[in-house]
């Protein structure tokens, strides 16, 4: 966390931004040597999921409470593709594409509503997906989930090694992050933020809010799907939990904890939650109590998240 | 399917509907007046059931006293939650209420799980209905458990009273005024903040009541509210968020529809409510009984 001061100045100094980026890259490259590589890969996958969620929440102002639908659908599709002999990149893309396809009707119906209504509607659609997943036992394994999903090696890449899988996932993660970053800092991203801040005003200067929110929804869902595929690649299993509403809640807490509408906040939030959970799983302490408490405290006192709080402290100085 | 089976399904549906109605009624009261989306409603419903179980285990309190005491305790917990936590978020986006209560849900569920394991050495427990409500009633065309009939009747009565108080009495008028225009109401010398707390307490106590009623039907389990709350949200959205009448009518209707639907085509049972919700949102975004968003 000592590197955080740099982020606070990124907006003003492009060179500091580059330095921060390099430091982040170095940290992620070194990560599997500090924590178990499968956990490290999990951090990447959930980090990307949180970035995808934040694209919608932080930048478009839409609190989706149903993002598990995209993460989970892609997890199942990726697993299906992998176990039918498709290679890893194609399977991941197939998963992301399935999430994107699913997002077309859901986004079309939900982004017209506002605030809490949007949250409720996305939650309901996610529940539909979750019940479908429970019913389609041939495809999803129902309550039992799917196990032993293969990860066919690529020429020169032996995916049986946890480390190789991690570094491959890091590539995918970096691509996803780059896409999200480009989008946020594009004219499209600026307009989306304008729509978030004042929809009426954005409309009156000639932008159609629906188009921007809908597009943001699609991109967010596709990235969430890509992340869902990564967990399958990392663990080789899919459980029904991937489409549960708790999963939708988890990604919200990760994003909030790290800091919404910041480049690295969601990743840091995901890392903190997963490391905390990993630590707690070895103790006897119930995870829900801690997660719930963290959630409550963050919402009450810490809404800017880790990165936002540090930025505010520095600004005040 | 023959007519008798269908009737049984309708009755079973009414029982489920009684819970949907009580829970969504509480949610509607809280949302309609305070604009809080209380995600913790399901956990508080569970607390009602757990309260009945714990009161019986520790004090030997029977069903009838628990039916009063447990919702009161849950209501009191609600009052504390509103005073200590939710109050801090009123100036902010409504999403934060949802997030805070989501966190509370995780916290309450696992706390109760710990208490059940450490104090009572069970992870989930049955709860018996009072003797006078065991057995069945012959309704002529169908034989039905007494307790379930009681649940339907009590739920209907509570829903009616709540609707009446809010829509037709002076108390209801004051509460609506306090929440619609706090500044003006305050200038009439009405303690708005106390009313807000009371409304939240009552809404939450309704969830507690539903919990006690549910304990003899489903057993007491820390996660018993988790899936129910999602269905209840769907009911609230179909009925029109904040609409008292909508939540009661749609609550019972959804209960019956899903039960009948499940009898005709089992796989659809749990999904039906969400399909309904998508359809309603498509054609009437503000819900069946809700005012259009602009008209609020």
């Amino acid at each position: 966390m000592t590197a955080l001061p740099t982020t606070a100045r990124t907006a003003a100094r492009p060179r500091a931004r580059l330095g921060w980026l390099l430091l982040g890259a170095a940290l992620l490259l070194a990560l599997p040597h500090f924590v178990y590589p499968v956990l490290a890969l999990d951090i990447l996958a959930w980090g990307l999921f949180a970035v995808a969620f934040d694209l919608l929440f932080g930048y478009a102002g839409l609190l989706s409470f149903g993002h598990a639908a995209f993460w989970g659908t892609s997890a199942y599709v990726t697993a299906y593709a992998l176990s039918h002999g498709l290679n890893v990149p194609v399977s991941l893309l197939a998963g992301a594409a399935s999430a994107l396809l699913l997002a077309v009707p859901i986004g079309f119906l939900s982004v017209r509503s506002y605030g809490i209504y949007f949250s409720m509607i996305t939650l309901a659609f996610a529940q539909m997906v979750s019940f479908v997943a429970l019913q389609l036992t041939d495809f999803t394994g129902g309550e039992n989930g799917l196990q032993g999903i293969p990860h066919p090696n690529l020429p020169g890449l032996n995916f049986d090694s946890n480390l190789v899988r991690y570094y491959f996932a890091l590539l995918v993660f970096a691509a996803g992050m780059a896409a999200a970053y480009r989008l946020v800092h594009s004219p499209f991203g600026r307009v989306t933020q304008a729509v978030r801040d004042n929809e009426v005003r954005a409309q009156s200067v000639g932008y159609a809010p629906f188009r921007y929110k809908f597009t943001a929804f699609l991109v967010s869902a596709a990235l969430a799907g890509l992340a869902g595929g990564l967990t399958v690649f990392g663990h080789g299993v899919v459980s029904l939990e991937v489409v549960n509403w708790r999963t939708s809640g988890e990604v919200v807490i990760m994003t909030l904890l790290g800091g919404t509408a910041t480049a690295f906040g969601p990743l840091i939030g995901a890392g903190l939650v997963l490391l905390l959970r990993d630590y707690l799983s070895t103790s006897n302490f119930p995870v829900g109590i801690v997660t719930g408490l963290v959630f409550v405290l963050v919402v009450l006192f810490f809404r800017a998240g880790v990165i936002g709080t540090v930025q505010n402290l520095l600004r005040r100085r | 399917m023959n007519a008798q089976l269908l009737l049984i399904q309708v009755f079973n549906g009414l029982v489920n509907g009684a819970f949907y109605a009580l829970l969504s009624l509480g949610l509607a009261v809280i949302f309609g007046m305070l604009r809080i989306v209380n995600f913790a409603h399901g956990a508080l419903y569970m607390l009602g059931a757990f309260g009945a179980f714990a009161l019986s285990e520790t004090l030997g309190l029977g069903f009838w006293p628990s039916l009063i005491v447990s919702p009161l305790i849950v209501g009191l917990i609600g009052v504390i939650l509103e005073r200590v936590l939710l109050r801090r978020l009123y100036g902010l986006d409504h999403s934060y209420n949802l997030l805070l209560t989501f966190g509370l849900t995780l916290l309450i569920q696992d706390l109760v799980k710990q208490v059940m394991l450490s104090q009572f050495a069970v992870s989930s427990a049955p709860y018996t209905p009072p003797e006078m409500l065991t057995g069945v009633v012959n309704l002529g065309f169908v034989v039905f458990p007494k307790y379930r009939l009681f649940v339907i009747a009590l739920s209907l009565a509570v829903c009616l009273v709540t609707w009446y108080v809010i829509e037709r009495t002076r108390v209801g008028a004051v509460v609506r005024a306090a929440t619609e225009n706090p500044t003006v109401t305050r200038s009439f010398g009405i303690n708005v903040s106390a009313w807000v707390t009371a409304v939240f307490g009552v809404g939450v106590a309704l969830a507690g009541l539903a919990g006690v009623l549910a304990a003899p039907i489903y057993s007491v389990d820390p996660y018993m509210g988790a899936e129910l709350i999602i269905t209840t949200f769907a009911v609230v959205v179909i009925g029109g968020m904040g609409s008292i009448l909508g939540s009661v009518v749609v609550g019972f209707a959804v209960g019956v529809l899903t039960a009948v639907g499940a009898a005709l085509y089992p796989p659809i049972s749990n999904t039906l409510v969400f399909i309904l919700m998508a359809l309603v949102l498509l054609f009437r975004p503000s819900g069946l009984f809700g005012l259009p968003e602009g008209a609020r």
Side-chain angles (χ1 to χ4, degrees):
Chain A
M1 291 304 123
T2 47
L4 280 177
T6 7
T7 33
R9 279 176 251 126
T10 50
R13 287 176 36 196
R15 282 187 64 182
R17 185 189 297 168
L18 183 70
W20 168 239
L21 198 68
L22 288 175
L23 193 96
L27 273 177
L28 286 178
L29 282 169
L31 186 65
H33 301 284
F34 294 110
V35 301
Y36 185 58
V38 175
L39 175 61
L41 196 155
D42 231 15
I43 293 177
L44 291 182
W46 282 92
L48 186 58
F49 188 19
V51 166
F53 165 81
D54 194 35
L55 210 57
L56 198 58
F57 178 53
Y59 294 98
L62 294 166
L63 172 61
S64 161
F65 221 81
H67 251 44
F70 309 115
W71 158 273
T73 299
S74 167
Y76 284 123
V77 170
T78 307
Y80 185 82
L82 283 172
S83 32
H84 283 74
L86 291 179
N87 68 31
V88 171
V90 172
S91 302
L92 287 174
L93 284 177
S98 69
L100 179 65
L101 267 180
L102 178 67
V104 173
I106 296 184
F108 186 77
L109 291 175
S110 58
V111 297
R112 292 166 198 277
S113 42
Y114 299 88
I116 233 64
Y117 290 83
F118 175 79
S119 305
M120 293 288 100
I121 293 162
T122 44
L123 174 64
F125 278 118
Q127 282 309 102
M128 278 191 234
V129 171
S130 148
F131 286 125
V132 170
L134 181 65
Q135 300 298 336
L136 285 182
T137 40
D138 291 344
F139 180 68
T140 64
E143 302 257 17
N144 300 324
L146 304 168
Q147 271 131 39
I149 295 148
H151 32 67
N153 294 331
L154 287 179
L157 288 177
N158 175 14
F159 284 142
D160 295 331
S161 151
N162 285 336
L163 267 183
V164 175
R165 279 215 304 285
Y166 173 83
Y167 286 113
F168 181 80
L170 184 57
L171 267 179
V172 176
F173 170 84
M177 278 294 274
Y181 188 85
R182 281 311 316 148
L183 192 78
V184 164
H185 292 87
S186 69
F188 172 86
R190 301 289 182 207
V191 178
T192 308
Q193 287 165 65
V195 170
R196 171 196 67 192
D197 292 337
N198 193 330
E199 184 160 338
V200 177
R201 195 174 295 170
Q203 196 163 16
S204 69
V205 289
Y207 297 110
F210 175 80
R211 247 189 63 205
Y212 288 88
K213 292 199 280 188
F214 184 50
T215 312
F217 192 93
L218 295 184
V219 176
S220 172
L223 281 179
L226 187 64
L230 274 186
T231 51
V232 177
F233 174 59
H235 290 275
V237 294
V238 189
S239 75
L240 200 54
E241 190 68 18
V242 292
V243 285
N244 193 285
W245 57 264
R246 275 182 295 273
T247 300
S248 301
E250 299 255 288
V251 73
V252 182
I253 187 182
M254 289 172 176
T255 309
L256 268 185
L257 178 62
T260 53
T262 59
F264 291 98
L267 174 65
I268 289 176
L272 288 176
V273 169
L274 290 177
L275 290 173
L276 179 71
R277 185 173 315 146
D278 183 60
Y279 172 75
L280 288 174
S281 66
T282 52
S283 75
N284 247 340
F285 212 78
V287 176
I289 295 183
V290 180
T291 324
L293 204 62
V294 170
F295 218 119
V296 170
L297 292 176
V298 165
V299 174
L300 280 181
F301 304 111
F302 212 50
R303 282 184 290 275
V306 172
I307 288 207
T309 306
V310 171
Q311 281 178 347
N312 289 341
L313 282 176
L314 284 164
R315 220 168 279 149
R316 215 173 293 153
R317 209 169 56 182
Chain B
M1 191 170 56
N2 66 41
Q4 185 142 26
L5 267 177
L6 196 69
L7 270 176
I8 293 175
Q9 279 309 99
V10 168
F11 267 97
N12 280 328
L14 282 175
V15 177
N16 287 337
F19 293 113
Y20 296 150
L22 272 179
L23 284 176
S24 61
L25 176 67
L27 278 180
V29 168
I30 291 170
F31 181 79
M33 314 234 153
L34 316 182
R35 300 274 128 181
I36 294 173
V37 175
N38 183 24
F39 205 101
H41 215 66
L44 291 159
Y45 151 86
M46 178 276 290
L47 269 186
F50 171 72
F53 163 75
L55 286 170
S56 133
E57 290 288 309
T58 53
L59 304 177
L61 220 56
F63 176 81
W64 297 111
S66 290
L67 197 57
I68 309 286
V69 177
S70 192
L72 279 180
I73 296 174
V74 173
L76 193 68
I77 292 172
V79 164
I80 296 168
L81 290 180
E82 197 277 335
R83 283 269 148 168
V84 178
L85 302 176
L86 288 164
R87 175 142 299 198
R88 296 167 188 271
L89 300 174
Y90 284 160
L92 300 164
D93 191 280
H94 301 307
S95 305
Y96 287 111
N97 287 318
L98 173 70
L99 296 176
L100 182 86
T101 48
F102 175 76
L104 283 175
T105 301
L106 301 177
L107 193 62
I108 295 171
Q109 283 177 352
D110 273 23
L111 271 177
V112 168
K113 183 184 163 197
Q114 285 303 304
V115 173
M116 284 187 84
L117 283 175
S118 61
Q119 301 300 310
F120 305 107
V122 286
S123 58
S124 135
Y127 185 82
T128 40
E131 202 147 309
M132 69 177 276
L133 290 177
T134 49
V136 292
V137 188
N138 193 343
L139 296 175
F141 48 91
V142 65
V143 177
F144 208 72
K146 258 191 211 167
Y147 183 75
R148 292 180 181 231
L149 281 178
F150 165 75
V151 167
I152 297 172
L154 186 68
S155 165
L156 260 179
V158 170
C159 290
L160 267 175
V161 169
T162 312
W163 173 83
Y164 184 82
V165 168
I166 289 171
E167 301 285 344
R168 294 280 183 272
T169 66
R170 223 187 113 73
V171 172
V174 170
V175 171
R176 276 179 288 139
T179 50
E180 265 161 39
N181 199 331
T183 321
V184 170
T185 315
R186 212 169 276 128
S187 69
F188 282 109
I190 290 165
N191 187 345
V192 170
S193 128
W195 279 107
V196 163
T197 308
V199 167
F200 192 79
V202 170
V204 159
L206 285 174
L209 178 71
V212 183
L213 285 176
I217 298 184
Y218 319 101
S219 62
V220 182
D221 182 284
Y223 303 101
M224 64 192 285
E227 296 301 330
L228 185 61
I229 185 64
I230 310 286
T231 308
T232 310
F233 273 141
V235 168
V236 172
V237 171
I238 295 172
M241 287 179 85
S243 162
I244 308 278
L245 186 64
S247 62
V248 175
V249 173
V250 174
F252 279 102
V254 160
V256 172
L257 269 175
T258 47
V260 172
L264 297 173
Y265 182 62
I268 207 167
S269 62
N270 287 323
T271 327
L272 194 60
V273 60
F274 299 106
I275 296 172
L276 274 178
M277 182 178 133
L279 286 175
V280 167
L281 285 170
L282 199 54
F283 295 109
R284 216 184 133 86
S286 49
L288 294 180
F289 293 79
L291 295 169
E293 273 171 55
R296 245 176 260 279

